[in-house]
Amino acid sequence: MCSDFHLAKFSSQRSLLKWRKVSISMGSSESRYSPQQSRCTLMERMGKCLTPDMTSARLKYLSLSVLVFQTTSLVLTMRYSRTLQSDGPRYLASSAVVVAELLKILTCVGLVCKEHSYSVRALSSILRQEILHKPIETLKLAIPSGIYTLQNNLLYVALSNLDAATYQVTYQLKILTTALFSVSMLGRRLGLYQWLSLLILMAGVALVQWPTDSPGTPEKEQPAGGSPFVGLVAVLVACCSSGFAGVYFEKILKETKQSVWVRNIQLGMFGLVFGLFGMLLYDGERVREHGMFQGYNSITWAVVSLQALGGLVIAAVIKYADNILKGFATSLSIILSTLISYFWLQDFEPTSIFFLGAVLVIVATFLYGYESKPASNPSRA
């Protein structure tokens, strides 16, 4: 009886052990052939299975393409539109700034509406709560908005007097002004490489602006009737305004937890008011005579759209781009602007001094975004 009991117990333990082995083998086979991984294996065979690293890399290259396209096309189309000889009056820069602000507001309203599942009631509630019920927070944006409006008008003045390549290189001085305002307003500390890059940047811009005409050489005619000195002053003031307004806006964003798109709506509202005031003050007579949209054509609308949507597109994709990628995009934009200005617009004669200055500016752009890695401590290895 006792032996039968032990024999039954032994056989049951053996059966249990065999069942566990079968379960383990089935579990391992299931882990090897789970539905998700088998689906991924099938998709890999079809070339459609994307890992997170592959997706991130594709987004980075998409960001690079968007940044290069926006920065290059805006400068070139704006320069072309300001130097194009056409019958009738030329379009007003102040009018283009107003229309760009209006398009920016409408775009941001659409993005906020999308964030709330296209609910008009939720959209009106958000705008009423964030804009009307917080007047102090809204009024804080009047300062950067007025400066941005001034900057946008100055860019039209600069590209009416400077070729696209010289403008692109000189406008990189905004890195210097932004850095200085970040140190003074945000208490940010710059590293050795960043201070060195700012010195290289100033040297490069100085070489780009270096006069190349010898005393005995007759002065070249300016086909567009522009003044390089006026263009240079406009770029320098635009760089200062861009640095201050950008740092001030960054400080406001860090102090509150408001949506970036709502902030852009507030900026656009003040920008629209300031733009209309400036248009009526400086171009009021021409507006009354020929209308606000005088001289508008397809190129003008392209410039206005790029100016309105460009900053929003960059804001949307910039989170996927690191500092090296942004520097690479700036460098490509400078090179493309130089080539197109020389071969297509034919308003630019490159010199060896210009190329040296442009190379220094590109190097400074990369160096400013470089982050040195801390050295590993061998004692802790």
Side-chain angles (χ1 to χ4, degrees), residues 44-96:
E44 279 179 353
R45 291 175 183 174
M46 298 173 63
K48 295 181 181 179
C49 187
L50 296 178
T51 63
D53 291 338
M54 293 172 63
T55 305
S56 177
R58 289 195 174 189
L59 288 174
K60 282 187 177 182
Y61 287 120
L62 178 62
S63 302
L64 172 64
S65 304
V66 171
L67 287 170
V68 172
F69 173 77
Q70 193 274 333
T71 51
T72 307
S73 58
L74 175 60
V75 171
L76 291 172
T77 52
M78 190 181 291
R79 170 65 179 173
Y80 182 69
S81 67
R82 299 307 290 172
T83 58
L84 182 65
Q85 301 294 331
S86 60
D87 298 332
R90 180 180 295 173
Y91 75 94
L92 303 175
S94 58
S95 167

Side-chain angles (χ1 to χ4, degrees), residues 78 81-82 91 93-94 96-97 100 151-161 300 303-304 307:
M78 190 181 291
S81 67
R82 299 307 290 172
Y91 75 94
S94 58
V97 171
Q151 174 193 338
N152 290 334
N153 281 280
L154 287 172
L155 296 185
Y156 282 97
V157 176
L159 283 166
S160 299
N161 295 276
T300 310
V303 172
V304 169
Q307 190 176 20

